[in-house]
Amino acid sequence: MQDSGISVLFMGSNFLRLLEGLWVTVRISLISVILSIPLGILFGMFMTLKNPFSKVISRIYLEFIRIMPQLVLLFIAYFGVTRAFGWNLSAELSAVIVFTLWGTAEMGDLVRGALISIPKHQYDSAEALGMTKMQTFVYVVVPQTMRRLIPLTINLTTRMIKTTSLVVLIGITEVLKVGKQIIDANRFDYPTAALWVYGVVFLLYFLACWPISILAKRLEKRWR
Amino acid sequence: MENKIQLQVSNLKKQFGSETVLDGINLDIHKGEVVVVLGPSGCGKSTLLRCINGLETPTGGTVSVDGIEVTSSNKKITQIRQKIGMVFQSYDLFPHKNIMDNITLAPVKVQKRPRKEVEQDAERLLKRVGLWEKRKAFPRELSGGQKQRVAIVRALCMKPEVMLFDEVTAALDPEMVREVLEVMLELADRGMTMIIVTHEMQFARVVADRIIFLEGGKIQEESSPEEFFTNPKTQRAKDFLQTFTFEKRKTNNI
Ligand SMILES: Nc1ncnc2c1ncn2[C@@H]1O[C@H](COP(=O)(O)OP(=O)(O)OP(=O)(O)O)[C@@H](O)[C@H]1O
Ligand SMILES: [Mg+2]
């Protein structure tokens, strides 16, 4: 084929630009995940408090985050907040804030699920052995919730990496956007470039998420 | 049995909402005594045991072990609980720890005893119940009877002065009941102070020094096993014992 689209990938710094785009994606998701995990653990514990006030608050927060499409949240954070308060949040910071809010809600729900799945008699027998509430939590509850949580957390991370492609819409140039730019620039010389570029983008996403999925499977098997 | 009072329950009351479950229980248990608590389902047997080691806070009255009062507000509750071992009906081993770690967790973390010493105790106890080979196994790899024997060992490893058993064989397959009861019988022979809730009447008769019959939140009858089973004083106890016997009703004319 004369215009083999594959060569587009090796022209100039195209491939490097794609990798840089991937790094933007991964960076936003990793920062959000790293913030979401501790916040989500706290939120999950907050949700299990036997107190109607905390129940209502956390329910509203969770439902709000779930009902709103992430895209709307991104627009609110980036355009809305800037307008309303005159703060000039960078696009990437807005993205991190939105994904952290989302991650905290989802992580919190996972933590809540793991916590309430510990049967009551586990607490009873720990306390009957003289353990304090704190010791029960550290030696009995946390290890049992951890093994349920780790695979779920990893799945949440891969979901986040995939969802970050939305940030294009607030002007962040991540991997998908770079791909589109490369395709547009070569539309006339290499009409089949789209296939190749999107193929590589797919591969890059796959390479970012695959090791994480493998890890999840491993842990799941080991801790079944 | 010695004369020292190990456990004293005075005028113990427990309400759940408006439901009075325990309505003034008085009970003195001597060192080395084995008391079996009988009574119909829902009469408060579990609640009594749970109040004794502070898992439930009584609405009124007191429980004392060795003269020290058990109340949840008391900061010493965890210390008192170490004097009282409890084994439950549900197999309640910690699923994420192997047998040895299940047993050593509390002695090491709560009592701060040296791991070496605790493991020696655990070895001796596990050998006694015939489960030393299973020390590296996880609870899910054990049968119900084996799990209950481990749960007993785990409680014993805290060197308790009193042991509470709440229907520990009720969830077991019939062929596994015996192996657990044997362990409890041996423990009684060694002079452990025990309160046992059970529906195994033959076992109760053999193991008990004293039978307590609980109903309507009160102790209705308190007597030696011989007397209780052959000649119960109250009608309620008679009715209760009746539920464990079957009469042949089949006749030949249809
Ligand atoms: N945490 C609780 N909250 C409310 N009610 C309770 C609670 N625990 C027990 N009860 C009630 O107290 C009563 C006594 O319960 P308990 O478990 O002590 O009975 P039991 O004699 O052990 O019965 P069984 O032989 O079925 O085990 C029951 O009516 C039960 O519904
Ligand atoms: Mg009960």
Side-chain angles (χ1 to χ4, degrees), chain B residues 16 19 21 40-47 56 167 199:
Chain B
F16 289 110
E19 186 191 358
V21 177
S41 179
C43 71
K45 305 180 294 293
S46 301
T47 306
E56 301 285 353
E167 298 193 37
H199 286 300

Side-chain angles (χ1 to χ4, degrees), chain B residues 166-179:
Chain B
D166 191 1
E167 298 193 37
V168 293
T169 59
L172 295 180
D173 289 338
E175 69 270 22
M176 290 170 190
V177 169
R178 193 177 182 94
E179 63 190 47

